[in-house]
Amino acid sequence: MLIKGSVAVVRAVPALVWILIVVASLGFGNTSGVLGLVFPTVGYLTKYFISSIEEQDAAIIETMQATGAGWLQMITEGLLPNLSSRFLAWTSIRLEGNIAESISLGMVGAGGIGMLLTRAIGQYNYGEISMLILLIFFTMISVELGIGQVKKRMR
């Protein structure tokens, strides 16, 4: 209950507010951008993971208990095989969202490729703008394909 309450408080604060809080305490930079995304990401993933665990069929655990399985066996052999695909799905969704948000953060001063894109736009360097947009596109495609490969191996 304590974890759920803490996660609810973290999720209630929008990512932009977390970023502003971190920037106010640490100043501008890459560290502020990363930490600003860590808080809402941990909050959402914790909520999703808890929900996935609660939705798990209790019959699996009861059956394993009846056969004399230990606590660790029930987790590794009963819960994790069924939950791993859900955990991967939620994590991949947040990863893709964080990549997109990090580009936006970079455009407002947090560094990274977003800052390079803003600089190129300000200099009207269309060749560099095109390359950066292609790099962002191929990064997102690579992440999607990589997650697809991991899902295939899990089956």
Side-chain angles (χ1 to χ4, degrees), residues 11-116:
R11 279 191 352 263
V13 179
L16 182 60
V17 174
W18 280 115
I19 292 165
L20 291 174
I21 291 169
V22 173
V23 166
S25 61
L26 298 178
F28 287 103
N30 297 342
T31 306
S32 298
V34 170
L35 287 177
L37 290 176
V38 164
F39 290 111
T41 298
V42 168
Y44 279 103
L45 286 179
T46 304
K47 183 203 184 312
Y48 298 148
F49 290 174
I50 289 172
S51 295
S52 296
I53 291 169
E54 288 175 344
E55 292 172 2
Q56 188 66 29
D57 187 13
I60 295 170
I61 299 300
E62 292 170 3
T63 304
M64 291 184 79
Q65 281 178 332
T67 60
W71 181 81
L72 186 59
Q73 287 176 317
M74 286 188 281
I75 299 293
T76 58
E77 302 297 326
L79 284 177
L80 288 183
N82 294 325
L83 293 174
S84 59
S85 63
R86 291 182 192 174
F87 285 2
L88 179 64
W90 287 119
T91 304
S92 66
I93 289 168
R94 286 305 298 179
L95 175 64
E96 291 172 6
N98 282 348
I99 291 171
E101 287 180 16
S102 68
I103 294 166
S104 301
L105 284 173
M107 294 183 81
V108 295
I113 196 167
M115 188 174 72
L116 296 174

